[in-house]
Amino acid sequence: KAGVTQTPRYLIKTRGQQVTLSCSPISGHRSVSWYQQTPGQGLQFLFEYFSETQRNKGNFPGRFSGRQFSNSRSEMNVSTLELGDSALYLCASSLNPQVLYEQYFGPGTRLTVT
Amino acid sequence: KQEVTQIPAALSVPEGENLVLNCSFTDSAIYNLQWFRQDPGKGLTSLLLIQSSQREQTSGRLNASLDKSSGRSTLYIAASQPGDSATYLCAVKRDKIIFGKGTRLHILP
């Protein structure tokens, strides 16, 4: 069974631009969560989607948004990029958001904003 | 507000030793706690998931315990190997998942 895949793996953007990252969950998994990882703040929760609906959202500005499609694939978008948005963006999937289920992480997208 | 702390931030031990990594959390109202490892520049690999009703979980040389009342979890690694070198993260889940900042483990050959 294929794992969680994220595209692209690396990305370089300029301040003010926008970016879209993609995540394909493990087959059969319907819940997708996104995280931002930086050396200073560690791993921080961005949002969680299940059945195309956002269930939870972390404390990030409105420039960060996401969506989930009917096939459970998810995208996150960051508009008006800032230097501080440089980070490793990780997505994780699980069968559903219920407490019993483990999260499985993808390899991440390394975003560099110059 | 839930806070998760992992001490120490870094640890170096000789190969073959048994070791314990610590994780503490401020709000005991959690659904589960999960331990992960992360290799440099990579994603996270799930190691063990402990439900709030459980006290411990074991997988191979790894054993994780959970004491909700004291807000603590430990990850025990037996007979450490150089391949165990990585950053180990714990995360607690209620409505959201909150991560600690990890313990960077280096096993000396």
Side-chain angles (χ1 to χ4, degrees), chain A residues 46-110:
Chain A
L46 279 157
F47 22 66
E48 177 185 35
Y49 287 89
F50 176 67
S51 294
E52 302 177 66
T53 301
Q54 188 180 90
R55 293 188 75 250
N56 265 312
K57 190 177 190 308
N59 297 324
F60 279 82
R63 300 185 297 108
F64 291 81
S65 63
R67 59 178 175 168
Q68 186 181 34
F69 302 95
S70 58
N71 61 359
S72 296
R73 190 177 70 84
S74 178
E75 289 181 347
M76 67 163 281
N77 183 276
V78 188
S79 62
T80 319
L81 284 165
E82 300 176 359
L83 294 178
D85 297 333
S86 295
L88 181 66
Y89 289 88
L90 294 163
C91 87
S93 77
S94 63
L95 279 169
N96 66 49
Q98 293 299 320
V99 302
L100 294 175
Y101 298 110
E102 288 180 71
Q103 290 209 321
Y104 296 88
F105 279 76
T109 294
R110 172 76 63 185

Side-chain angles (χ1 to χ4, degrees), chain A residues 9 35 37 40-43 45 48 56-59 88 90 97-103 105-107 110, chain B residues 1 31-32 34 36 38 41-49 51 89 93-101:
Chain A
R9 293 293 313 278
Y35 299 85
Q37 187 176 32
Q41 298 298 318
L43 262 162
F45 171 76
E48 177 185 35
N56 265 312
K57 190 177 190 308
N59 297 324
L88 181 66
L90 294 163
Q98 293 299 320
V99 302
L100 294 175
Y101 298 110
E102 288 180 71
Q103 290 209 321
F105 279 76
R110 172 76 63 185
Chain B
K1 180 189 168 188
Y31 291 152
N32 63 42
Q34 196 166 355
F36 298 87
Q38 185 175 31
K42 304 285 181 64
L44 277 64
T45 301
S46 176
L47 296 173
L48 290 164
L49 172 71
Q51 302 298 338
L89 297 130
K93 178 181 170 76
R94 187 169 169 85
D95 299 324
K96 303 173 186 177
I97 293 184
I98 308 296
F99 280 84
K101 294 201 173 179

Side-chain angles (χ1 to χ4, degrees), chain B residues 51-104:
Chain B
Q51 302 298 338
S52 63
S53 58
Q54 298 174 321
R55 294 296 297 237
E56 65 178 335
Q57 283 285 347
T58 297
S59 176
R61 295 183 293 109
L62 305 179
N63 175 277
S65 68
L66 174 64
D67 184 342
K68 261 193 8 171
S69 60
S70 66
R72 292 184 182 181
S73 176
T74 61
L75 178 67
Y76 175 83
I77 302 176
S80 58
Q81 304 170 358
D84 295 330
S85 296
T87 296
Y88 289 79
L89 297 130
C90 72
V92 298
K93 178 181 170 76
R94 187 169 169 85
D95 299 324
K96 303 173 186 177
I97 293 184
I98 308 296
F99 280 84
K101 294 201 173 179
T103 294
R104 215 165 42 253

